[in-house]
Amino acid sequence: MKKIIIYPGSFDPVTYGHLDIIERGLKICEQLIVAVSSNPLKRTLFSIEERVILLKEVTKKMKNVQVEKFDGLLVDFLKRKEARIVIRGLRAVSDFEYEFQMVLANRRLNESMETIFMMPSESYFYLSSSLIKELVALGADISGYTPKFVENELKRKIPYAQS
Ligand code: ADP
């Protein structure tokens, strides 16, 4: 059986930080599934379909990467995929508390699930989807933070304030 890793998240939108984690994850599995969450409690700029399209576009050259949307519990998605391993990115300390809670909550739901944390390259340590959305709104250059395709879609969504 193929060693599958699931990389869940909102990806609103995908950034170079996410791509960094995908590339690292690919080194330790045979197939990586990016699971785009449609959490109804989280308001997103891009719809679930748009987030999936953006991810598919920027990972199209990566062999062994699949992009899928999911709703409901992550443990149920894992079961459907016959997977056990989840990968998450760990940035500056801010991620730690939340990730710790998620691991424990998921473990209660499914004992056999394991989460692997990976640190991105230093350049992406403070990069988040929220940050790039804010920067676009202010008219700042975000070319080092996300691929051109995503940047263009962001600019279409957020008409920035010009002085
Ligand atoms: P969520 O809403 O699930 O936190 P995100 O899209 O914000 O979804 O993040 C998905 C995953 O990618 C999380 O594990 C997050 O820590 C990780 N991640 C996001 N940005 C970066 C980055 N710049 N470097 C490393 N990991 C990141």
Side-chain angles (χ1 to χ4, degrees), residues 65-157:
V65 175
Q66 225 174 295
V67 182
E68 288 188 32
K69 60 179 174 182
F70 84 100
D71 44 27
L73 289 171
L74 179 60
V75 290
D76 294 334
F77 182 78
L78 258 76
K79 212 176 282 170
R80 285 203 294 282
K81 297 291 160 194
E82 295 184 5
R84 230 164 32 88
I85 313 289
V86 165
I87 190 173
R88 296 278 290 172
L90 211 50
R91 287 162 292 190
V93 274
S94 54
D95 278 336
F96 187 80
E97 182 85 26
Y98 175 73
E99 295 297 337
F100 206 80
Q101 281 175 11
M102 288 308 287
V103 169
L104 292 180
N106 279 316
R107 196 170 279 168
R108 277 208 196 119
L109 296 166
N110 180 353
E111 263 298 323
S112 68
M113 169 178 157
E114 291 297 344
T115 306
I116 295 176
F117 292 99
M118 282 195 155
M119 249 175 74
S121 144
E122 236 176 299
S123 357
Y124 308 132
F125 219 55
Y126 294 97
L127 178 57
S128 67
S129 302
S130 331
L131 175 72
I132 63 170
K133 283 182 277 195
E134 225 164 278
L135 289 174
V136 170
L138 296 169
D141 175 29
I142 54 154
S143 50
Y145 298 153
T146 190
K148 194 77 194 157
F149 183 79
V150 180
E151 184 182 335
N152 290 341
E153 291 307 306
L154 266 166
K155 285 183 178 157
R156 269 178 359 133
K157 280 258 182 206

Side-chain angles (χ1 to χ4, degrees), residues 15-30:
T15 69
Y16 281 136
H18 295 126
L19 291 173
D20 177 295
I21 298 300
I22 293 174
E23 274 163 11
R24 286 174 204 280
L26 282 173
K27 293 182 192 163
I28 56 164
C29 71
E30 286 156 303

Side-chain angles (χ1 to χ4, degrees), residues 11-76:
F11 306 99
D12 185 41
V14 55
T15 69
Y16 281 136
H18 295 126
L19 291 173
D20 177 295
I21 298 300
I22 293 174
E23 274 163 11
R24 286 174 204 280
L26 282 173
K27 293 182 192 163
I28 56 164
C29 71
E30 286 156 303
Q31 190 185 8
L32 188 145
I33 304 177
V34 183
V36 187
S37 132
S38 66
N39 185 344
L41 296 178
K42 262 194 190 167
R43 277 190 62 146
T44 55
L45 177 67
F46 291 95
S47 70
I48 178 100
E49 283 78 21
E50 290 169 329
R51 285 178 278 142
V52 167
I53 290 171
L54 292 177
L55 267 157
K56 282 193 173 160
E57 175 62 30
V58 301
T59 58
K60 67 181 178 200
K61 293 209 176 100
M62 294 180 180
K63 258 176 55 189
N64 309 327
V65 175
Q66 225 174 295
V67 182
E68 288 188 32
K69 60 179 174 182
F70 84 100
D71 44 27
L73 289 171
L74 179 60
V75 290
D76 294 334

